[in-house]
Amino acid sequence: MRPRDTITLIIVASVVAGSFLHPRVQASPRAEASLVRDAEGCRASGDVPTRSNVASTRAAILCLLNRERARHGLRPLKRSSMLEFASQRHSDDMAARDFYAHQSPDGVEPSDRTDASGYPSMGVIIGENIHWGVEANATPVRIFEDWMESPGHRENILRPSFTEVGVGVAHDAPKRDVQGRAGVYTTDFGGPLRP
């Protein structure tokens, strides 16, 4: 980790490795985009991500995040283009270089990515959730369900001090020889550091 002149708290969630190393794969991929039912009020949350539905996939994740936060009496997250840039860059990198981790093979950390995106580095707190899946398990609703079952990911989703989020979605698996349509997700959260 590089030295920093500012105070930044990084909260990085991780989950049981097995769920990421061996995603549940549908026996036979289906041609249509929607494989699972949309979550109530979150349009396109049951669709497999593709290059043509990036905007609706991001919107579905944001909807799911804010729906859950509302259930817990928390303010909704706003979309941040800077955090979205950092998130997309990481999802693309994981898919292109076949790795699955918060830190890239060359040592780039979540804070490095958010700094490079122009997101403030002083007086902020950041967090990151990542996940990937194939076919039905690549849909926003399934990715979100898995995050909510993981204590660290759930904590990021329900952290009151987070006010913004960026969603990145790549359309390949972060490992080789995966059959079917895949999606690798990164959500970078940000907000003011509270004493």
Side-chain angles (χ1 to χ4, degrees):
M1 181 179 271
R2 65 181 169 76
R4 296 182 61 102
D5 298 326
T6 60
I7 298 173
T8 303
L9 176 61
I10 301 172
I11 300 166
V12 179
S14 63
V15 191
V16 177
S19 65
F20 295 119
L21 298 176
H22 308 289
R24 297 164 285 178
V25 180
Q26 295 297 105
S28 59
R30 292 167 33 180
E32 65 272 11
S34 183
L35 296 178
V36 297
R37 178 176 286 157
D38 286 350
E40 186 177 337
C42 294
R43 187 175 116 6
S45 60
D47 293 352
V48 174
T50 64
R51 295 188 198 299
S52 64
N53 69 5
V54 172
S56 64
T57 300
R58 286 184 176 138
I61 289 287
L62 182 60
C63 177
L64 292 164
L65 293 169
N66 284 335
R67 187 179 77 148
E68 192 66 29
R69 287 175 65 89
R71 288 180 179 157
H72 289 84
L74 299 171
R75 290 179 298 165
L77 297 167
K78 295 179 183 169
R79 181 182 162 271
S80 163
S81 60
M82 289 176 280
L83 291 174
E84 186 172 287
F85 178 79
S87 295
Q88 189 61 51
R89 190 172 189 180
H90 191 52
S91 287
D92 290 340
D93 193 26
M94 287 189 287
R97 294 201 286 168
D98 297 325
F99 75 95
Y100 181 71
H102 293 285
Q103 183 184 61
S104 71
D106 47 348
V108 176
E109 299 277 351
S111 61
D112 299 322
R113 290 189 296 275
T114 58
D115 286 355
S117 76
Y119 196 74
S121 59
M122 288 185 60
V124 299
I125 181 174
I126 63 168
E128 181 173 87
N129 287 356
I130 61 176
H131 198 7
W132 74 282
V134 178
E135 293 298 332
N137 294 305
T139 62
V141 75
R142 293 278 177 83
I143 294 292
F144 184 78
E145 287 170 357
D146 287 350
W147 280 337
M148 288 304 292
E149 291 175 7
S150 161
H153 292 95
R154 180 183 175 91
E155 184 177 338
N156 275 347
I157 291 166
L158 299 178
R159 184 171 296 277
S161 55
F162 287 146
T163 58
E164 302 177 286
V165 70
V167 179
V169 186
H171 307 96
D172 199 358
K175 65 183 243 176
R176 294 186 178 143
D177 301 324
V178 172
Q179 299 298 312
R181 297 170 296 174
V184 59
Y185 291 74
T186 304
T187 51
D188 284 321
F189 300 89
L193 183 61
R194 300 210 170 127

